[in-house]
Amino acid sequence: MASDPPGDTLGIILLSGTHDRAHYAFVIASGAAALGRQVVMFATNLGCRALCRDWSGLMFKDRDSRIEARGVAGLESLREACLDMHVRMIACEAGLRSEALDAGLLLPNVEVAGIATFLMAVKTGQIITI
């Protein structure tokens, strides 16, 4: 794969364990990836729950069925789209430990690493925190 021009990578830091923030992190990630941008998502602390196969540990998880009923893509659809578009997902090693989450609970292809790995991946790209 050819390297991206400097600054073209989008980095998303997900700190929160609430459904609305996790959902929108995946909205942004899938939207940017659909536009051809490289995307790296870094989840830490309670945000790591969004990268688990079973994301029911997110706060306000019932919101997902309500938004799907209104025609909005749910978290599962967005996560699948991100995986299909090769969004790089990193779960913070310290964040997993802080929340007593086992790395074996994570989605396939989610890396476990620290903030330095995330920053090296994003380089001079744009970083947003949710």
Side-chain angles (χ1 to χ4, degrees):
M1 178 183 268
S3 63
D4 294 324
D8 194 44
T9 301
L10 174 62
I12 301 169
I13 299 175
L14 177 60
L15 295 168
S16 174
T18 61
H19 179 275
D20 59 339
R21 289 183 180 261
H23 181 266
Y24 213 74
F26 280 97
V27 167
I28 294 168
S30 60
L35 293 172
R37 288 185 74 178
Q38 292 290 93
V39 180
V40 182
M41 183 182 292
F42 182 80
T44 190
N45 299 325
L46 289 173
C48 291
R49 294 182 184 279
L51 299 184
C52 290
R53 286 187 306 273
D54 177 8
W55 50 266
S56 66
L58 289 173
M59 291 181 277
F60 312 116
K61 66 181 185 285
D62 295 339
R63 178 179 179 271
D64 204 63
S65 59
R66 288 194 310 271
I67 64 172
E68 283 182 326
R70 296 175 183 143
V72 176
L75 188 58
E76 196 61 40
S77 297
L78 293 168
R79 292 184 341 156
E80 286 176 19
C82 285
L83 288 169
D84 290 346
M85 291 186 282
H86 307 289
V87 168
R88 184 175 176 187
M89 296 181 212
I90 304 171
C92 177
E93 184 176 10
L96 287 170
R97 275 193 255 142
S98 295
E99 301 305 325
L101 293 171
D102 186 88
L105 300 173
L106 298 171
L107 290 167
N109 302 322
V110 173
E111 303 168 50
V112 176
I115 191 69
T117 300
F118 170 74
L119 294 172
M120 288 297 296
V122 177
K123 296 181 180 127
T124 60
Q126 179 183 19
I127 296 176
I128 60 173
T129 303
I130 297 179

